[in-house]
Amino acid sequence: MSSIILHHFEASPFSEKVRALLGYKALAWQSVLIPRIMPKPDLVALTGGYRKTPVMQIGRDIYCDTRLIARTIETLEPTPPAIPSADTASVVALEQFGDRQLFLAAVPAMFRPAGRAFLVEKLGEDGLAKFQADRADLFANGNVARPDAAFSEAVLPPSLAALDAQLAARDFLLGEQPTLADFAVYHPVWYIRGNAGIADLLDAYPNLLAWADRIRAIGHGQRKDLDAAQAHSIAVETTEWQPLPESVAHKLAPGTTVTVAATDYGTEAVTGQLVAIGRDVMTIEREGPQNTPVRVHFPRARFCVEAAGD
Ligand SMILES: N[C@@H](CCC(=O)N[C@@H](CS)C(=O)NCC(=O)O)C(=O)O
């Protein structure tokens, strides 16, 4: 059994990116369901303030952001490869296309009248109002504005058409095997497809739909449910740390009390002692559940680190 614990909620697209990757790797993993809106006290007890979904836990190490989560999974379980070295830059580019362009174009589509009606059926008017207020807060402070209908209408059809064309002659975006590029582009498509009010937006793209079926068929690996208290106990009882990446030169010395925050949206800062800064990852240590230390890892890109109090 792998020691991966994913803190997620079922309807979360970015969680689906990771669940599909876990399926591709045929991994066994443990699932902790978290609320879809704030407050998320059990999650924040681990992360120190980071609130986005999903978060991965391995023992007392906590990984934020699916870019880092995916690369950590790739290191733990290199076969089959999700980031083949000959395709590394293509994966990064398509990951950005999926996580940013396509995801941000998919979100406003949910609020077209038929999409909204579906959400009301799921969440109720009151639940939907709370969800929208929460997401307005999520986008209140970062450098990415909350996407609007005009952005979605302009960006979604050409993006879907481009994908459909690329998938005409191959099974997956970069060839005959899936890569992380597929999972990163899949999750917004899965999000649209899961909303019965707007799923027909995909009808004009048969190659895309056939590809989405192929990814769905990969599954999610073997999932076992845990509750948050069990995940906290695992953090408290684990004595070893996960490996750290090689450090690179940086003006902040290890041991400095720092804050780390996303720069795009969901910018809640996490405070802790700097452990290491590598080329791609930065790691801080802080007090987690029951005052035991946990390490929280963030990508460097689209996160900022600064000395606390600066
Ligand atoms: N860059 C982040 C984006 C994650 C993201 O936007 N997740 C959405 C849910 S799919 C979110 O956090 N929504 C607010 C929340 O869950 O509190 C990543 O790759 O993990």
Side-chain angles (χ1 to χ4, degrees):
M1 154 91 57
S2 100
S3 49
I4 291 171
I5 302 172
L6 192 69
H7 298 257
H8 64 135
F9 60 88
E10 305 289 3
S12 153
F14 279 91
S15 302
E16 186 65 11
K17 171 183 170 187
V18 176
R19 292 183 298 240
L21 175 64
L22 291 165
Y24 184 51
K25 302 278 186 183
L27 283 168
W29 54 282
Q30 302 180 79
S31 154
V32 176
L33 291 177
I34 61 172
R36 110 173 31 210
I37 60 173
M38 293 293 270
K40 308 183 185 189
D42 293 327
L43 180 74
V44 168
L46 293 168
T47 65
Y50 180 86
R51 60 146 306 175
K52 284 196 249 184
T53 311
V55 164
M56 183 172 78
Q57 173 187 352
I58 300 178
R60 54 180 182 163
D61 285 80
I62 312 296
Y63 297 87
C64 298
D65 198 286
T66 59
R67 288 168 296 148
L68 176 58
I69 292 171
R71 284 158 183 79
T72 306
I73 293 172
E74 181 79 348
T75 304
L76 283 171
E77 183 54 71
T79 46
I83 312 177
S85 61
D87 289 325
T88 309
S90 303
V91 169
V92 170
L94 278 167
E95 185 174 34
Q96 176 144 352
F97 174 80
D99 286 357
R100 280 303 176 95
Q101 174 148 323
L102 204 55
F103 174 69
L104 293 178
V107 168
M110 298 288 144
F111 296 97
R112 295 180 192 181
R116 188 182 186 284
F118 176 85
L119 292 178
V120 170
E121 218 175 274
K122 291 271 164 207
L123 306 174
E125 279 290 356
D126 190 46
L128 183 58
K130 287 190 176 125
F131 178 71
Q132 286 196 268
D134 179 85
R135 293 312 190 251
D137 283 350
L138 181 72
F139 282 93
N141 294 313
N143 59 21
V144 169
R146 197 170 186 210
D148 61 16
F151 173 80
S152 177
E153 280 159 26
V155 168
L156 197 54
S159 301
L160 296 174
L163 292 166
D164 195 64
Q166 180 147 341
L167 288 162
R170 49 185 130 170
D171 278 356
F172 296 100
L173 286 170
L174 296 176
E176 295 314 308
Q177 299 300 326
T179 66
L180 178 59
D182 292 281
F183 306 128
V185 171
Y186 174 67
H187 71 84
V189 173
W190 170 88
Y191 197 30
I192 294 170
R193 217 179 182 189
N195 181 319
I198 57 162
D200 62 1
L201 288 175
L202 304 173
D203 286 353
Y205 310 104
N207 303 319
L208 182 77
L209 286 171
W211 161 84
D213 284 344
R214 285 193 281 279
I215 297 192
R216 183 166 55 192
I218 291 170
H220 290 163
Q222 289 158 259
R223 164 175 165 172
K224 182 182 160 222
D225 292 331
L226 278 191
D227 62 32
Q230 289 170 304
H232 285 190
S233 300
I234 290 170
V236 170
E237 285 157 18
T238 301
T239 50
E240 73 276 11
W241 298 114
Q242 291 299 303
L244 289 170
E246 202 179 312
S247 290
V248 297
H250 194 278
K251 64 178 184 197
L252 293 168
T256 309
T257 301
V258 295
T259 60
V260 177
T263 52
D264 51 3
Y265 58 93
T267 58
E268 288 78 2
V270 181
T271 303
Q273 276 65 52
L274 186 65
V275 175
I277 298 193
R279 187 192 59 189
D280 308 301
V281 185
M282 46 203 179
T283 302
I284 66 174
E285 197 166 308
R286 53 172 299 278
E287 272 192 8
Q290 298 174 32
N291 302 325
T292 54
V294 293
R295 285 184 178 171
V296 192
H297 308 265
F298 304 90
R300 286 192 64 181
R302 297 190 217 129
F303 281 80
C304 66
V305 57
E306 54 191 30
D310 272 9

